[in-house]
C-alpha cells in the first residue's frame, strides 16, 4: 500500500489482521459507528439478533433524519424503536429535528485519526475532519457495534494535490464536481482519495466535508483530508479543541496515482441529469429555465452555505417562477441563523424553510413539476430520485443555486451583479448537546407491529437451477433496485418493501420483478439478476440485497459490482459473480436459464465458476465467471449469509 500516506498511518494504527503489502483485504478496528433511521432499524434488529447486550465501540450514535414525513404511523414507530433500543444498547440517540447524521457527526463527534463506519454511504463526510470514515451496510455496522473488526479492500491511495485558492463564487462543491469529471463514478472501487498540497489550507473543515461527502459518488472506499491548523480551529469553534490531534502524510508520501486540481483555475460546475459525473461548466448551461432550487443535504446544509445565501439575498427577492426550499443540515445551524437574523432574511427573500433533515434529497417531498428543471445542492441526481419520473435534476454549489434562484435560469454566479458574500466562520458554533439522548437502560424496547424481523436465508443449495429474472444495464444504483421516496417508510417491513424491487423497470400491465421472482421461486427454481458495469452504485441500503434475497434471488452476475453492495450481497447469502468475458453479458436475455451445478464446491478463493446458459430455443453453452469472494466471504455465502453463522 502507498507509503507515508495519511491513509496508511490510520490503517496501521487500527490494523487487526492482514498485511497491506500482500493481502487483498484488511481487517481494521472501528472506534465509532453511526446509523440513520432508514437503515438503522434493520441494523439494530440485527444487533438484537446477535444477542449483543451493549455496544463495544468508543462511541455509537443513532440519528433520525431520513424518515420524517410521518404520513402514517410507520416513521414514528421506527423512531420509538430506535430511541428505546439505543437506550438499552448504550447508543447515543439523536431525535428527529436534530439534524442530518453526517452534519451533526462532523460538528459534535468527529475526531481526527479515528475510524468510523456508518450505515449510510455518505459517512466519508467525516474525512473532512481527518477521520477514516466509511459507509457500510447495516449488518456490518451492527457487527462493528458488537466489537467486530471491519473488512476493507487493501486500498490504492489516489492523492489529490490541491494548489491555489478558490476564487469568489467558486465553491468546495466545484472541487468535488471537478474530481468527478476526472475520475467518474466508475472504476474506483477499492481506492481511497487523500487530499494534500498547499491548497488544502485554503479550505475550512466544512468545505473539506462537502468534498469528502460527495466523494461517495466516486465509488471509492472513502476520502480523507489531513488534520491541521484549520481542523484545530474548527474544533475550537465547536468548543472541543481537546479532540484535536494533528495527522498528515509524510512529505515524501508515495501515492498510487496523483491528480492535481488548481483551485485558482476552477469555475462553477454542475452535474447534469442523471449522474453525478455528468459534469458541465455552468456557463454552458446559462439560460436554461429553472423551476425549483433546493439548498441543503449533508453536502451543503452547513452554516457557511446558508449564511452565504442569507447575506446575498438580504433585501432581494427570488425569481417568481422559482420555488426555493432550504433544509438546514442541523439544529445548531438553524439556531444560529435564527439568532443572527439571517433566517428572517431568507424568509423575506421568498425561501420556503423545510424541516432540518434529509427531506427532498431522498424524495421526501418537494418533487418538481413534470418537464421542469430542478437545481439542487445535493449529491445525487439519479433518475427519479426526486419523486418525479423523467426528472431533470442538476447538482450545483450553493453559489450557483443562489444565481438560479435570483434569475430563474442557469446563471454563472460570477456574472451576478452583487458583491460576493464572504462568510466568516462563527467565533463559536452553537452546540446544544442536551438534544442528544444519552443511553439509560431499563425502560424496555418499544417495537410496534410495523417493524418486522430481519428475514433469514437458507444455505446455498448444491445446484442452482437459475432463471434470469431481470437483465439491466450499466450503473444500476441501489435507488433503482430499492426505490426510496414514497416507499421509504417500508424500510422496517421487508415483505411489503420487497414488492417494489426494481419498480422503475416495471412496464405498465406487465408483471413486476417481485411477481416474476415469486413465479421462479414457486416453480422450485432460483432467481438470478444480471447487471452490467458498476452494479449497485450509490446508497448503502442493504435492502437492495435483503429484499431480492427475500424474493429468492441466489446469484447476481455483472461486469463489476460496487463495494458496499457486494458486501451486502455476501452478508445476505447472494453470490456475486463477475463475467470473465464481458461479451457473455450480451448473449443473455431475461427468462434464460442459468444453472450452476455444485456451486458451493465451485466457490474457491481466486477461482472461477462455470454455469450453463440455456436459451429459450434449447441451445446451451458454458459461461465462465470469476468472483471477488475471500475465504471468509465464501463461508458466509455458503451458509446463506451472516445471520446463519
Ligand atoms: C442516500 O443518500 O441515498 C441515503 C438515503 O442516505 C442512503 C441510505 C439509505 O438508503 O437509507 C445512503 O446514502 O446510503
Ligand atoms: Fe440524507 Fe441526502 Fe445525505 Fe443521504 S445524501 S444522508 S438522503 S442528506
Amino acid at each position: 500500500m502507498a507509503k507515508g500516506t495519511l491513509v496508511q498511518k490510520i490503517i496501521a494504527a487500527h490494523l487487526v489482521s492482514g498485511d497491506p503489502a500482500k493481502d487483498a483485504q484488511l481487517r481494521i478496528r472501528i472506534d465509532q459507528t453511526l446509523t440513520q433511521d432508514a437503515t438503522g432499524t434493520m441494523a439494530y434488529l440485527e444487533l438484537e439478533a446477535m444477542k449483543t447486550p451493549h455496544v463495544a465501540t468508543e462511541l455509537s450514535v443513532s440519528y433520525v433524519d431520513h424518515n420524517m414525513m410521518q404520513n402514517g404511523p410507520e416513521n414514528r414507530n421506527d423512531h420509538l424503536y430506535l430511541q428505546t433500543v439505543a437506550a438499552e444498547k448504550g447508543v447515543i440517540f439523536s431525535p428527529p429535528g436534530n439534524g442530518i447524521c453526517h452534519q451533526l457527526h462532523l460538528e459534535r463527534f468527529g475526531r481526527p485519526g479515528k475510524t468510523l463506519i456508518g450505515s449510510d454511504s455518505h459517512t466519508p463526510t467525516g474525512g473532512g475532519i481527518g477521520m477514516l470514515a466509511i459507509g457500510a451496510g447495516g449488518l456490518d455496522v451492527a457487527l462493528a457495534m458488537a466489537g467486530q473488526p471491519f473488512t476493507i479492500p487493501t486500498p490504492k491511495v489516489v492523492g489529490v494535490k490541491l494548489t491555489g485558492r478558490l476564487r469568489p463564487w467558486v465553491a468546495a462543491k466545484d472541487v468535488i464536481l471537478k474530481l468527478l469529471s476526472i475520475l467518474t463514478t466508475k472504476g474506483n472501487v477499492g481506492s481511497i482519495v487523500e487530499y494534500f498540497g498547499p491548497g488544502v489550507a485554503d479550505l475550512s473543515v466544512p468545505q473539506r466535508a462537502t468534498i469528502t461527502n460527495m466523494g461517495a459518488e466516486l465509488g471509492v472506499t472513502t476520502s480523507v483530508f489531513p488534520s491541521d491548523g484549520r481542523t484545530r480551529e474548527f474544533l475550537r469553534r465547536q468548543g472541543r479543541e481537546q479532540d484535536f490531534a494533528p495527522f498528515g502524510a509524510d512529505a515524501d508520501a508515495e501515492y498510487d496515482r496523483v491528480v492535481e486540481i488548481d483551485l485558482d483555475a476552477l469555475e462553477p460546475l454542475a452535474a447534469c441529469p442523471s449522474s453525478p459525473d455528468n459534469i458541465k461548466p455552468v456557463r454552458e448551461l446559462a439560460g436554461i429555465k429553472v423551476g425549483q432550487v433546493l439548498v441543503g443535504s449533508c453536502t451543503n446544509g452547513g452554516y457557511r452555505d446558508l449564511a452565504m445565501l442569507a447575506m446575498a439575498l438580504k433585501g432581494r427577492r427570488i425569481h417568481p417562477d422559482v420555488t426555493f426550499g432550504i433544509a438546514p443540515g442541523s439544529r445548531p445551524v438553524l439556531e444560529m441563523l435564527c439568532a443572527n437574523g439571517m433566517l428572517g432574511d431568507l424568509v423575506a427573500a421568498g425561501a420556503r424553510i423545510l424541516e432540518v433533515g434529509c427531506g427532498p434529497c431522498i424524495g421526501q417531498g418537494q418533487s418538481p413539476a413534470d418537464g421542469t428543471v430542478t437545481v439542487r445542492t445535493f449529491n445525487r441526481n439519479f433518475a427519479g430520485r426526486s419523486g418525479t419520473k423523467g426528472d431533470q435534476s442538476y447538482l450545483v454549489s450553493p453559489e450557483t443555486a443562489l444565481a438560479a434562484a435570483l434569475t430563474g435560469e442557469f446563471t454563472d454566479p460570477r456574472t451576478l451583479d452583487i458583491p460576493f458574500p464572504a462568510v466568516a466562520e462563527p467565533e463559536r458554533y452553537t452546540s446544544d448537546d442536551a438534544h442528544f439522548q444519552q443511553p439509560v437502560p431499563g425502560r424496555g424496547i418499544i417495537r410496534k407491529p410495523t417493524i418486522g424481523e430481519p428475514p433469514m436465508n437458507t444455505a446455498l443449495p448444491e445446484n442452482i437451477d437459475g432463471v434470469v429474472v431481470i437483465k439491466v444495464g450499466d450503473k444500476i444504483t441501489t435507488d433503482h433496485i430499492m426505490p426510496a421516496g414514497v416507499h421509504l417508510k417500508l424500510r422496517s417491513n421487508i415483505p411489503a418493501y420487497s414488492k417494489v424491487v426494481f419498480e422503475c423497470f416495471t412496464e405498465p400491465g406487465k408483471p413486476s420483478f417481485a411477481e416474476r421472482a415469486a413465479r421462479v421461486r414457486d416453480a422450485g427454481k432460483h432467481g438470478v439478476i444480471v447487471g452490467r458495469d458498476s452494479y449497485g452504485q450509490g446508497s448503502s441500503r442493504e435492502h437492495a440485497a435483503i429484499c431480492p434475497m427475500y424474493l429468492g434471488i441466489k446469484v447476481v452476475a455483472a461486469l463489476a459490482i460496487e463495494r458496499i453492495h457486494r458486501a451486502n450481497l455476501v452478508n445476505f447469502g447472494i453470490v456475486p459473480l463477475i463475467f470473465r468475458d464481458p461479451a457473455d453479458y450480451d448473449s443473455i436475455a431475461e427468462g434464460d436459464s442459468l444453472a450452476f451445478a455444485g456451486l458451493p464446491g465451485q466457490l474457491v478463493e481466486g477461482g472461477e465458476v462455470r454455469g450453463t446458459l440455456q436459451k429459450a430455443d434449447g441451445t446451451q453453452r458454458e459461461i465462465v465467471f470469476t468472483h471477488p469472494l475471500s475465504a471468509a466471504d465464501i463461508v458466509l455465502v455458503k451458509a446463506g449469509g451472516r445471520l446463519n453463522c
Side-chain angles (χ1 to χ4, degrees), residues 36 38-39 66 120-122 362 380 385 479 491 539-541:
Q36 43 89 339
T39 54
H66 281 63
D120 191 284
S121 63
H122 291 104
I362 190 56
R380 289 189 173 143
R385 182 170 159 110
D479 274 60
R491 284 291 178 87
S539 155
S540 65
R541 58 193 73 155

Side-chain angles (χ1 to χ4, degrees), residues 309-457:
L309 283 174
M311 285 166 72
L313 286 173
K314 192 178 170 74
R316 296 188 170 81
R317 285 223 170 78
I318 57 147
H319 192 277
D321 295 343
V322 170
T323 64
F324 179 44
I326 292 182
S330 72
R331 187 197 303 273
V333 169
L334 181 58
E335 274 184 49
M336 281 188 284
L337 297 176
C338 289
N340 64 15
M342 286 183 171
L343 191 69
D345 297 331
L346 290 168
V347 172
R352 298 166 65 181
I353 307 301
L354 311 177
E355 185 170 14
V356 169
C358 300
C361 177
I362 190 56
Q364 301 301 287
Q366 299 288 319
S367 299
D370 284 318
T372 59
V373 165
T374 175
V375 167
R376 303 168 162 224
T377 65
F378 309 162
N379 48 37
R380 289 189 173 143
N381 58 350
F382 304 147
R385 182 170 159 110
S386 68
T388 300
K389 231 179 160 165
D391 52 7
Q392 298 169 53
S393 177
Y394 291 76
L395 308 173
V396 300
S397 69
E399 283 79 351
T400 300
L402 163 80
L406 281 171
T407 62
E409 55 188 40
F410 258 106
T411 305
D412 187 328
R414 295 171 300 179
T415 64
L416 286 175
D417 193 16
I418 54 177
F420 177 65
V423 178
E425 257 195 277
E427 187 42 40
R428 189 63 187 251
Y429 284 95
T430 298
S431 53
D432 185 357
D433 288 346
H435 289 292
F436 291 104
Q437 297 175 14
Q438 297 299 322
V440 182
R443 280 183 18 200
I445 298 174
I446 299 177
R447 204 163 139 190
K448 305 277 183 193
T450 53
I451 299 174
E453 296 290 333
M456 303 292 281
N457 201 353

Side-chain angles (χ1 to χ4, degrees), residues 39 151 169 175 236 300 374 408 423 450 503 549 586 608 639:
T39 54
T151 303
W169 300 109
V175 178
R236 182 179 58 73
N300 284 117
T374 175
V423 178
T450 53
E503 191 196 42
M549 176 272 270
D586 300 325
E608 291 181 340

